[in-house]
Amino acid sequence: MSYETRAYDNEHGDPVVVVVVTGTHDVSRLVNLLNRGNCEQVDLSNKVLRQVRRHNGGRAALQLLAAHGGPDLLFDGSSKDGDR
């Protein structure tokens, strides 16, 4: 897997976690994880999906996910565009 994580406290002492995922396979896995329906953060999963759909590599990751038996999230009309 190609990912990096960082965890630290911000200036107010609140925990911060940063996850950087690189590559078609790993992006498809992350999007699938967030969109399986067991994620409480529906807004987060929709935002990540919208952002991934806007890029050629992201669309390729979603196509790969569908080709391997995952959900077809590339053309799902359930989430609205608008987040950048």
Side-chain angles (χ1 to χ4, degrees), residues 1 9-10 20 23 39 45 54 56 69 71 82:
M1 290 191 123
D9 296 337
N10 70 9
V20 178
C39 179
S45 65
R54 282 196 298 271
N56 288 335

Side-chain angles (χ1 to χ4, degrees), residues 7-69:
Y8 59 92
D9 296 337
N10 70 9
E11 65 273 5
H12 305 290
D14 298 321
V16 176
V17 174
V18 178
V19 179
V20 178
V21 180
T22 305
T24 303
H25 287 88
D26 296 330
V27 168
S28 70
R29 289 177 182 137
L30 176 66
V31 171
N32 190 40
L33 176 68
L34 291 173
N35 282 280
R36 275 200 223 162
N38 60 356
C39 179
E40 289 180 6
Q41 299 298 325
V42 175
D43 291 339
L44 171 63
S45 65
N46 287 337
K47 182 176 183 176
V48 169
L49 180 57
R50 286 190 302 268
Q51 291 171 331
V52 168
R53 282 181 182 157
R54 282 196 298 271
H55 302 280
N56 288 335
R59 288 189 295 274
L62 297 177
Q63 289 170 345
L64 179 70
L65 177 63
H68 286 91

